[in-house]
Amino acid sequence: MRPFVTFAVLALLTHQSLFAQGLEFMSPLQADLNHPVDDRLIEPTSPILGKNLVAFIKADKRHPELILQDIKQSFPTLNRDIQLSSIAYFNTLTGPLKTYCTTVKKEEANDKAIDVVETAAIPVEVLSPLHGHYIEQLSLLRTNYVEESISSIESAARSAAIAYQDERYKCDVVTQLNKMESKIKRYLPKRLDRLVDLHHKISSPEAAFPRIQFSVNGFTQFVFGELMKLPYDKLAGILKVTYEAQVEWISRREKNLPVERYFTAFENKAVEAGYLPRDILLVLAYSTRNMPSLDVQYGYDTDKALLLETYFWKLHAHRDYVTKEFEKDIFPNAVMKRNPGLYHYATSALMACEVRLNGYSGVMARLMALGNKIGYKVHKLIGELAGKEGKKGLKQIRETAKRQAFGPGVDAGKYGGSHGLKFCRKNTPKISDSTELDGEDFDPELEQMIQ
């Protein structure tokens, strides 16, 4: 038997075997409690789905659409179990989140040695001490919600998600930024006053906990929130188009056939399919992340969150493979000496597009994309240096900035913003004509700053 046929048969048998294990394999309410000393009892890469379910999704090589169909058909109580898992997670993490935000100094949290199972995953050191409380929560929920209706569970999950997210927004590190923005607004003309509010909305600063990093989380809740507003069929459609366009691009590139730049290829495919640039950039800003980071979204809308995560792991694999093998073919305006990160590039493109769609000039849109990345990198640099003892010399500052990829991050703001503006302007009818604002408020000094 040929190797490929043998592999296909083994894969099919494995797939059938996994589903034969039924709910105990798939459900975080069942499988997790069987292994209470497991370091990944709360899964660092996907805390709501749990280790077994997310491992199954990541290992399955089929089209995400087929994976979702199989899971839902074979797991009739899927939504209920995921929602209860999310409630258990929020109930477990709310206390530590409040402590982190109000009593723990940022530099102390940042300075400790941590291990992550994957880049940007939640550190095991943060999750392990919470296992006892998590097990208690899961056990209580399994008992208390046996007779509850699905609508009652959905309501409880949504309430828990909203309360948990509110705590992220109230974190000290976020309120400090809010105060700074309020001071800035006092000295700005009203038109720019509104721009500060718009930037805050898009950048969506929140506590990064339980992740540990040197700056606030940015863009996450805006991107997730806007994607979750899309009707399910539309969200599924744009994810499918993006996934299939990437598969096609990789296949052609591996055969050394002519291809467009990686970003351009699936952006154009999605435009041809009738999707707007803003929605396409939202998908790119989500799919180029290091981790899906979906948690409260499962409480808001379980079906959409599961759809997003299933596609994420496949798009994530594409990102890693293309970055490793074909880095020079990724960016539409590839003039950067060092890869700034697809996520930083994509979020800068989104920022520029969103600012432009809100009536500001192209120059201002690009300046905001650039300024956002500079601000993020400065905040991150200060955060790490603040956790180090002793006087910080110029050498240490330079070494820290280099390790944090300060320069490439700024490049992401510059070139990502430029691409996002061009892509948005070209394919959005209302800003592609001669009535756009660039001719009215063009400022040559601002343009020079961007250059």
Side-chain angles (χ1 to χ4, degrees):
M1 186 179 291
R2 293 181 179 179
F4 177 78
V5 177
T6 303
F7 174 79
V9 171
L10 289 174
L12 178 61
L13 290 174
T14 301
H15 172 72
Q16 291 175 336
S17 173
L18 290 175
F19 271 109
Q21 296 180 51
L23 304 187
E24 292 208 2
F25 173 79
M26 305 299 281
S27 171
L29 297 183
Q30 302 286 342
D32 288 347
L33 294 183
N34 293 336
H35 308 282
V37 296
D38 189 343
D39 281 345
R40 297 175 73 161
L41 176 63
I42 307 175
E43 171 54 34
T45 63
S46 182
I48 306 302
L49 293 189
K51 184 172 69 172
N52 290 333
L53 181 51
V54 77
F56 174 81
I57 293 171
K58 291 166 72 173
D60 196 323
K61 302 303 181 184
R62 296 175 302 156
H63 194 295
E65 196 172 55
L66 297 176
I67 298 172
L68 270 172
Q69 287 175 3
D70 263 3
I71 291 175
K72 290 185 175 182
Q73 289 174 4
S74 303
F75 193 168
T77 63
L78 176 68
N79 281 24
R80 171 189 173 278
D81 283 16
I82 288 177
Q83 286 158 2
L84 292 181
S85 172
S86 70
I87 297 171
Y89 179 74
F90 302 142
N91 288 349
T92 300
L93 268 290
T94 297
L97 172 61
K98 289 181 178 179
T99 300
Y100 171 83
C101 288
T102 58
T103 63
V104 177
K105 294 181 180 179
K106 284 287 291 180
E107 56 266 27
E108 291 177 358
N110 284 326
D111 198 42
K112 67 180 181 180
I114 59 171
D115 291 324
V116 291
V117 295
E118 293 184 39
T119 302
I122 303 171
V124 171
E125 288 87 344
V126 174
L127 297 176
S128 294
L130 307 177
H131 283 180
H133 189 200
Y134 181 65
I135 290 172
E136 290 176 6
Q137 289 295 317
L138 285 177
S139 299
L140 286 171
L141 290 166
R142 282 200 304 176
T143 302
N144 296 341
Y145 280 87
V146 170
E147 304 297 333
E148 293 287 343
S149 66
I150 187 65
S151 61
S152 176
I153 297 173
E154 287 175 350
S155 178
R158 182 171 183 80
S159 296
I162 291 172
Y164 184 71
Q165 186 57 38
D166 283 346
E167 292 299 329
R168 279 181 174 154
Y169 287 140
K170 292 190 296 185
C171 196
D172 282 354
V173 68
V174 179
T175 57
Q176 290 169 12
L177 289 178
N178 296 344
K179 292 176 182 178
M180 183 178 68
E181 288 176 344
S182 297
K183 291 179 180 178
I184 292 173
K185 286 166 64 175
R186 296 175 192 168
Y187 302 100
L188 292 176
K190 283 298 178 183
R191 181 172 170 77
L192 296 182
D193 184 340
R194 186 168 63 88
L195 189 61
V196 175
D197 292 334
L198 176 62
H199 178 271
H200 183 90
K201 175 186 175 183
I202 301 169
S203 64
S204 63
E206 60 171 352
F209 186 88
R211 285 180 58 198
I212 300 297
Q213 61 184 54
F214 297 109
S215 188
V216 294
N217 238 11
F219 285 97
T220 301
Q221 295 306 322
F222 174 76
V223 171
F224 288 174
E226 296 304 301
L227 287 173
M228 297 287 278
K229 289 178 184 177
L230 298 177
Y232 184 91
D233 289 346
K234 184 176 182 179
L235 180 59
I238 192 171
L239 287 167
K240 181 178 181 180
V241 167
T242 302
Y243 169 82
E244 292 176 350
Q246 291 182 5
V247 170
E248 179 184 355
W249 188 94
I250 290 171
S251 176
R252 290 182 61 85
R253 183 62 185 81
E254 288 175 334
K255 297 172 183 175
N256 289 318
L257 296 173
V259 291
E260 299 174 285
R261 295 287 184 182
Y262 184 62
F263 265 43
T264 304
F266 49 83
E267 284 174 341
N268 288 345
K269 286 283 186 180
V271 168
E272 291 170 8
Y275 296 102
L276 293 173
R278 180 180 184 271
D279 294 339
I280 298 167
L281 292 175
L282 284 167
V283 169
L284 296 185
Y286 167 67
S287 63
T288 53
R289 298 174 59 87
N290 286 316
M291 286 288 117
S293 301
L294 294 162
D295 47 32
V296 294
Q297 288 69 35
Y298 282 105
Y300 299 155
D301 190 319
T302 303
D303 286 324
K304 288 181 183 178
L306 183 61
L307 172 72
L308 281 167
E309 181 148 0
T310 303
Y311 268 94
F312 174 87
W313 291 115
K314 307 308 166 186
L315 299 172
H316 180 68
H318 293 168
R319 186 205 74 166
D320 287 353
Y321 175 67
V322 170
T323 301
K324 180 180 178 181
E325 300 294 334
F326 310 116
E327 182 178 319
K328 294 182 179 179
D329 299 323
I330 295 175
F331 301 107
N333 44 9
V335 295
M336 295 160 280
K337 294 180 180 179
R338 179 179 167 189
N339 185 350
L342 274 65
Y343 174 72
H344 291 300
Y345 185 94
T347 51
S348 295
L350 174 63
M351 173 69 80
C353 179
E354 192 72 12
V355 172
R356 189 67 187 86
L357 288 173
N358 276 269
Y360 292 94
S361 72
V363 172
M364 184 59 73
R366 290 162 59 200
L367 186 62
M368 288 296 291
L370 174 62
N372 176 268
K373 289 306 173 190
I374 292 175
Y376 168 76
K377 286 296 183 180
V378 168
H379 194 266
K380 184 176 180 180
L381 178 63
I382 293 173
E384 180 169 353
L385 291 173
K388 297 183 181 297
E389 296 181 358
K391 187 177 180 180
K392 287 78 177 177
L394 185 59
K395 181 181 179 181
Q396 186 178 22
I397 295 173
R398 285 177 176 173
E399 289 175 349
T400 304
K402 184 177 181 180
R403 186 175 62 259
Q404 292 184 348
F406 190 101
V410 174
D411 280 345
K414 177 179 178 180
Y415 297 109
S418 178
H419 170 68
L421 176 65
K422 182 179 179 181
F423 176 61
C424 197
R425 175 190 284 152
K426 179 181 178 182
N427 297 291
T428 306
K430 72 176 182 178
I431 64 168
S432 61
D433 56 31
S434 58
T435 63
E436 59 182 336
L437 298 175
D438 287 285
E440 297 177 18
D441 60 352
F442 176 80
D443 187 330
E445 291 186 4
L446 288 178
E447 179 69 20
Q448 186 62 36
M449 284 175 61
I450 298 173
Q451 298 302 328

